[in-house]
Amino acid sequence: QVQLEESGGGLAQPGGSLKLSCVASRFALDYYAIGWFRQAPGKEREGLACISSNEGKAYYPDSVKGRFTISRDNAKNTVYLQLNNLKPDDTGVYHCATDEFCTGNYLEWGRGTQVTVSS
């Protein structure tokens, strides 16, 4: 069974940064494409980034391109999401997930980590 655990969320000021981590257990994370999505109250789930399993190619929607960066450290079985220039609209619970071919078809995900952007 795939297990993913997110961490690194917290309170940030507008314009600030956070770095989220996604640690996998019971499987080799580099075997899967891994995506990040967020869920905010009253809003639809929003895909933020994905990194492919083989080439490590990254994909982003226009809404976060240039602000968020996804990366992976296979030796640590961890995927990261660097959040820069945060905005209040970035507030939400951030989840990492196995993402089938980076299509946004999330198969399994962790419990998430809360990101709050407020002054």
Side-chain angles (χ1 to χ4, degrees), residues 41-87:
K43 295 184 179 180
E44 292 186 357
R45 185 170 67 185
E46 181 181 9
L48 303 172
C50 185
I51 188 164
S52 66
S53 60
N54 45 8
E55 297 177 346
K57 188 174 181 180
Y59 301 89
Y60 308 95
D62 288 342
S63 59
V64 305
K65 195 174 294 183
R67 298 193 300 125
F68 293 2
T69 303
I70 191 170
S71 61
R72 66 196 310 157
D73 184 336
N74 293 333
K76 296 183 178 180
N77 219 28
T78 301
V79 169
Y80 303 99
L81 187 66
Q82 177 70 44
L83 314 177
N84 294 331
N85 192 20
L86 284 164
K87 305 175 182 179

